[in-house]
């Protein structure tokens, strides 16, 4: 059996806890005894380094970290580290140790972690069931995001060039996949194919995801109005921006800004 959770599909038997937490810069907590549960960690902001026995895993905003049961590690916090975690059990024998894993930002996964937390803290049977559903959705998104097939280095470079162009032109409301494909000199169909093989999502979803990430930065670091942030992020209007933002993050822009202000 492969020890990687994205190469096998494991059943989830129970959720033990869902919490939001913070570690301050300079802290270096260590887990010397093996974890009592499996755990998914979603990084809301900040960065950290997890030192395992034979490797180091670096995580930053948008990353998902899988911590297997029985794992030991030390965490190095370079800047304030905010995260949501879900403690749960896979149906794997305790003697069988799975691999830790870091997965980059997946489509709408932050919203699923926030939903799981919101349902769990209701402390009701229905809330626990809905949190359980969110956890399976998170696992499914991670499986989907990690299922990329082999891609040649040339095609990967084309996809990376396209991604860089998308990031550079985020504020353009007229940005289209056809324009990006033309700029790198390949057909739209070929661009979509190599892009999804490389990043696990379509160019359009990547564009929206990057716009939402940029909007998060502006909401947390500036006092621009919601309308201005919508415009700077390349959304066609504030109403559409608010709808898309909430579908990705689980909070409307004004609530997200309020959350960021409360951290300061």
């Amino acid at each position: 059996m492969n020890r990687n959770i994205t190469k096998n599909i494991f059943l989830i038997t129970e959720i033990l806890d869902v919490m939001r937490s913070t570690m301050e810069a300079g802290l270096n907590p260590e887990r010397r005894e093996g974890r009592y549960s499996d755990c998914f960690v979603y990084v809301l902001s900040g960065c950290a380094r997890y030192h395992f026995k034979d490797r180091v895993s670096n995580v930053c905003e948008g990353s998902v970290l899988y911590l297997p049961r029985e794992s030991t590690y030390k965490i190095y916090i370079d800047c304030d580290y905010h995260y949501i975690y879900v403690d749960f059990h896979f149906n794997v024998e305790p003697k069988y140790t799975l691999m830790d894993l870091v997965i980059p930002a997946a489509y709408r996964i932050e919203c699923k972690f926030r939903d799981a937390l919101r349902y769990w803290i209701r402390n009701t049977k229905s809330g626990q069931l809905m949190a359980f559903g969110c956890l399976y959705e998170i696992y499914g998104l991670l499986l989907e995001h990690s299922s990329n097939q082999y891609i040649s280095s040339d095609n990967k470079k084309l996809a990376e060039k396209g991604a860089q162009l998308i990031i550079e032109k985020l504020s353009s409301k007229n940005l289209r996949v056809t324009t990006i494909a033309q700029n790198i000199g390949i057909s739209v169909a070929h661009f979509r194919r190599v892009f999804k093989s490389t990043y696990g999502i379509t160019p359009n979803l990547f564009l929206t995801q990057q716009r939402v990430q940029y909007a998060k930065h502006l909401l947390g670091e500036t006092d621009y109005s919601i309308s201005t942030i919508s415009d700077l992020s390349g959304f066609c209007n504030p109403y559409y921006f608010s709808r898309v933002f909430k579908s990705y993050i689980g909070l409307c822009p004004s609530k997200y800004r309020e959350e960021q202000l409360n951290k300061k």
Side-chain angles (χ1 to χ4, degrees):
M1 184 186 293
N2 195 306
R3 295 170 58 237
N4 189 318
I5 63 166
T6 64
K7 304 302 180 184
N8 289 298
I9 298 178
F10 299 105
L11 292 176
I12 298 169
T13 57
E14 63 176 327
I15 295 179
L16 303 176
D17 205 359
V18 186
M19 289 191 68
R20 178 174 178 158
S21 190
T22 298
M23 294 187 196
E24 295 181 353
L27 289 178
N28 300 313
E30 184 172 8
R31 181 177 287 275
R32 296 184 179 181
E33 296 183 1
R35 286 190 55 86
Y36 63 90
S37 69
D38 297 281
C39 182
F40 284 139
V41 179
Y42 178 81
V43 184
L44 294 166
S45 63
C47 297
R49 288 170 287 128
Y50 285 74
H51 287 238
F52 298 90
K53 290 181 179 179
D54 57 350
R55 67 174 65 82
V56 176
S57 293
N58 297 296
V59 295
C60 58
E61 181 177 343
S63 298
V64 177
L65 173 67
Y66 167 63
L67 297 170
R69 183 170 40 177
E70 301 298 333
S71 59
T72 58
Y73 47 85
K74 187 171 183 177
I75 310 173
Y76 291 85
I77 313 296
D78 299 319
C79 58
D80 288 356
Y81 179 52
H82 304 273
Y83 57 98
I84 297 173
Y85 68 87
V86 184
D87 283 333
F88 64 96
H89 281 152
F90 275 128
N91 66 328
V92 178
E93 295 180 12
K95 65 180 181 180
Y96 186 81
T97 304
L98 298 174
M99 287 174 55
D100 56 276
L101 186 70
V102 177
I103 302 172
Y107 175 52
R108 290 185 176 173
I109 203 160
E110 179 174 344
C111 183
K112 299 304 177 185
F113 271 89
R114 289 182 181 274
D115 284 346
L117 176 62
R118 178 163 53 89
Y119 293 136
W120 184 259
I121 61 179
R122 289 180 181 177
N123 198 28
T124 62
K125 288 184 178 180
S126 61
Q128 290 175 356
L129 285 172
M130 294 172 83
F132 204 85
C134 289
L135 179 55
Y136 261 112
E137 287 190 80
I138 289 167
Y139 187 27
L141 287 169
L142 298 179
L143 288 171
E144 182 178 22
H145 192 76
S146 303
S147 63
N148 301 341
Q149 298 178 350
Y150 170 78
I151 181 170
S152 70
S153 59
D154 287 343
N155 282 337
K156 185 176 181 181
K157 288 178 182 178
L158 289 172
E160 290 173 345
K161 186 176 180 180
Q164 186 59 41
L165 286 170
I166 288 172
I167 292 169
E168 290 173 358
K169 299 177 181 295
L170 278 181
S171 297
S172 172
K173 297 178 182 178
N174 297 318
L175 185 59
R176 299 288 184 271
V177 172
T178 51
T179 307
I180 299 296
Q182 288 170 1
N183 283 346
I184 61 177
I186 60 176
S187 70
V188 174
H190 184 49
F191 176 57
R192 286 195 174 109
R193 184 165 56 252
V194 299
F195 194 95
K196 187 167 185 180
S197 295
T198 302
Y199 292 101
I201 57 175
T202 66
N204 282 327
L205 286 179
F206 180 83
L207 170 59
T208 304
Q209 184 171 282
Q210 292 301 310
R211 282 175 167 163
V212 169
Q213 289 299 317
Y214 184 51
K216 284 175 64 177
H217 166 72
L218 294 176
L219 287 164
E221 301 298 329
T222 75
D223 58 0
Y224 294 153
S225 68
I226 301 297
S227 178
T228 299
I229 291 174
S230 169
D231 191 57
L232 290 173
S233 303
F235 290 94
C236 57
N237 59 66
Y239 172 75
Y240 179 66
F241 164 57
S242 295
R243 185 158 58 87
V244 171
F245 190 91
K246 187 171 183 179
S247 74
Y248 274 76
I249 308 303
L251 298 171
C252 65
S254 58
K255 288 291 185 182
Y256 179 81
R257 168 170 274 171
E258 181 181 327
E259 179 186 88
Q260 298 308 298
L261 289 172
N262 288 337
K263 289 181 184 177
K264 297 179 179 179

